Amino acid sequence: MGSPDVIGKSMNETHKPVLNWRITLLLTIISLIGIVGAVCIDVSGSSRIPDLTARKTLQMGIGIIFLVCIYSFDYQKLKKYSDQIFFLLLFMNAFILINSPMINGVKGYLALGPFSINMLYSSVILFLLALAGMKPIKEMNWIYSILHTFYRGVFPLLLITYVGNSVLYGVIYAAGYMVMMWLTKRDVKQLAIVTMIPTVALLYFTMPHFSILKERFMQFMQPIEDNAYLQMKSMEAIQSAGWFGQGFASSNPGLGYVQSDSLFPYLIYCFGWFFGLITIVLIGVFLGYIVQLLFQVKESYGRQLIFVVLFFFTIRFAWPILMSFGFLPFVGMELPFIGYGGTNQWIDLSAIGLVLSIYRRKNMIPTATFSSSHLSSSKS
């Protein structure tokens, strides 16, 4: 078989931990765009948040610490605790949502000293990541399938949409849940049952918000200055930018929530269409590299975790960009890594740390049997 030294060096090279430098580099560049945006806002005095650059840098620094810790952690150890994590998330959300005050029309903020964590935002992706490691419903009989449909599909929606007063996060969780069920389905009949029940539940929990949703939909379909202010001002800022913008830290008093929801149109206003196009390309390439990992990682649990992160960030990137151009309604959602986001940056950077951890160990874990037709989960 050859020299033991040569074989040993070859195996060490094949199975040693690796870092995906392309994702890391793109994450750094996208994050720096966010820092530049914070500096522009501070200099122009466009935000009501004092010392925005210092705050964003601090939040990002804490998030990077989380990223490094999770990158160094063996993600496979999480799988056996998926059921406990899911139950703990349900319990924590129930306790926090019932006892927390309403802030900006939404409940679920957990105060930790000087920091305030949006539990609804954090829980959506954490719920979906926990689902990836739980026993697939296809391996259960019909009675347990229906019980777990309520447990995994309806209860989180009850907390997020009805108690937490957030239709947006509820829709994101419902969409992620249905995709996860599709990837681990037994047959079409079972899929119809386990997705129909949460869909009906979501519609029921949304009924108290129907009049507001109808009003916002009509504002989106027929935008007039008085009833679609943010949408109109965002489009005006982009249209007036030109290819190279109005200049560094240009002031645009018409843009609201410039540190979060309106940061992307503000950056285009300052630096131009060319800068906006480059940012969109960078985000697209970043997501494209995560898609590549789905084909490079063969272990089923790792693939499902990557899929959840990809699904979550695709929505989080696409919606703020499309709403800036008037293609989607304005909602409270900022670009990951670019918008201020507060402690949400901890979750975003932690999720990328998980992706890098999976890639790091892709050559160290024996390839499991994998069906190319879907991301089937191995037995718990």
Side-chain angles (χ1 to χ4, degrees), residues 130-168:
L131 279 177
M134 298 171 72
K135 183 178 181 180
I137 289 181
K138 70 175 182 178
E139 297 178 5
M140 303 176 185
N141 59 37
W142 280 102
I143 295 178
Y144 278 99
S145 294
I146 294 175
L147 289 175
H148 275 266
T149 296
F150 279 91
Y151 177 61
R152 304 180 188 186
V154 176
F155 289 172
L157 289 175
L158 171 65
L159 293 173
I160 295 171
T161 305
Y162 189 77
V163 182
N165 205 41
S166 176
V167 176
L168 176 62

Side-chain angles (χ1 to χ4, degrees), residues 77-373:
K77 294 180 179 178
L78 294 173
K79 185 175 183 180
K80 61 182 179 181
Y81 298 110
S82 296
D83 291 278
Q84 292 87 336
I85 293 172
F86 194 90
F87 176 79
L88 181 62
L89 286 169
L90 282 176
F91 178 80
M92 288 179 59
N93 274 277
F95 179 81
I96 293 170
L97 289 172
I98 292 173
N99 294 282
S100 66
M102 191 83 71
I103 300 177
N104 294 328
V106 178
K107 301 179 71 175
Y109 285 88
L110 174 64
L112 294 176
F115 302 108
S116 180
I117 299 176
N118 186 339
M119 283 299 298
L120 285 178
Y121 175 85
S122 307
S123 295
V124 169
I125 187 171
L126 293 177
F127 272 131
L128 294 175
L129 291 173
L131 279 177
M134 298 171 72
K135 183 178 181 180
I137 289 181
K138 70 175 182 178
E139 297 178 5
M140 303 176 185
N141 59 37
W142 280 102
I143 295 178
Y144 278 99
S145 294
I146 294 175
L147 289 175
H148 275 266
T149 296
F150 279 91
Y151 177 61
R152 304 180 188 186
V154 176
F155 289 172
L157 289 175
L158 171 65
L159 293 173
I160 295 171
T161 305
Y162 189 77
V163 182
N165 205 41
S166 176
V167 176
L168 176 62
Y169 292 140
V171 170
I172 294 176
Y173 177 76
Y177 166 84
M178 291 177 189
V179 172
M180 294 294 290
M181 293 303 101
W182 168 260
L183 298 176
T184 58
K185 70 181 185 300
R186 178 170 63 198
D187 52 49
V188 176
K189 184 178 179 181
Q190 185 202 45
L191 177 67
I193 295 295
V194 299
T195 57
M196 180 184 66
I197 294 175
T199 301
V200 173
L202 178 63
L203 292 174
Y204 178 76
F205 298 147
T206 305
M207 287 179 64
H209 310 281
F210 181 75
S211 60
I212 297 177
L213 293 175
K214 180 181 177 180
E215 180 181 349
R216 290 190 176 183
F217 179 75
M218 295 305 297
Q219 291 174 359
F220 169 69
M221 296 301 296
Q222 298 178 341
I224 304 174
E225 185 70 25
D226 293 335
N227 66 5
Y229 182 82
L230 292 176
Q231 180 179 340
M232 297 295 292
K233 290 302 180 182
S234 173
M235 296 171 65
E236 287 177 8
I238 293 174
Q239 291 169 0
S240 63
W243 279 106
F244 300 103
Q246 303 296 320
F248 177 81
S250 296
S251 178
N252 189 326
L255 286 173
Y257 305 104
V258 70
Q259 75 280 354
S260 53
D261 305 352
S262 298
L263 179 56
F264 185 62
Y266 176 70
L267 286 171
I268 295 178
Y269 179 78
C270 289
F271 301 111
W273 301 335
F274 186 69
F275 178 86
L277 181 61
I278 290 176
T279 302
I280 293 174
V281 170
L282 288 171
I283 291 171
V285 175
F286 176 76
L287 294 175
Y289 282 144
I290 298 179
V291 171
Q292 282 188 351
L293 298 190
L294 285 173
F295 299 95
Q296 296 175 0
V297 175
K298 303 303 180 183
E299 189 266 326
S300 61
Y301 176 54
R303 285 175 64 95
Q304 290 195 63
L305 292 177
I306 293 175
F307 184 85
V308 168
V309 174
L310 176 63
F311 166 83
F312 187 71
F313 278 123
T314 298
I315 294 177
R316 289 285 324 288
F317 276 116
W319 195 298
I321 291 174
L322 292 175
M323 78 180 186
S324 297
F325 291 97
F327 296 119
L328 285 175
F330 243 84
V331 296
M333 185 182 294
E334 74 283 343
L335 283 170
F337 318 118
I338 295 178
Y340 173 60
T343 53
N344 293 351
Q345 293 176 93
W346 301 358
I347 297 296
D348 294 340
L349 289 167
S350 297
I352 298 302
L354 179 62
V355 169
L356 294 175
S357 174
I358 296 169
Y359 181 84
R360 179 177 184 245
R361 291 169 173 81
K362 70 183 182 69
N363 295 328
M364 301 166 62
I365 301 171
T367 301
T369 302
F370 176 73
S371 171
S372 60
S373 61

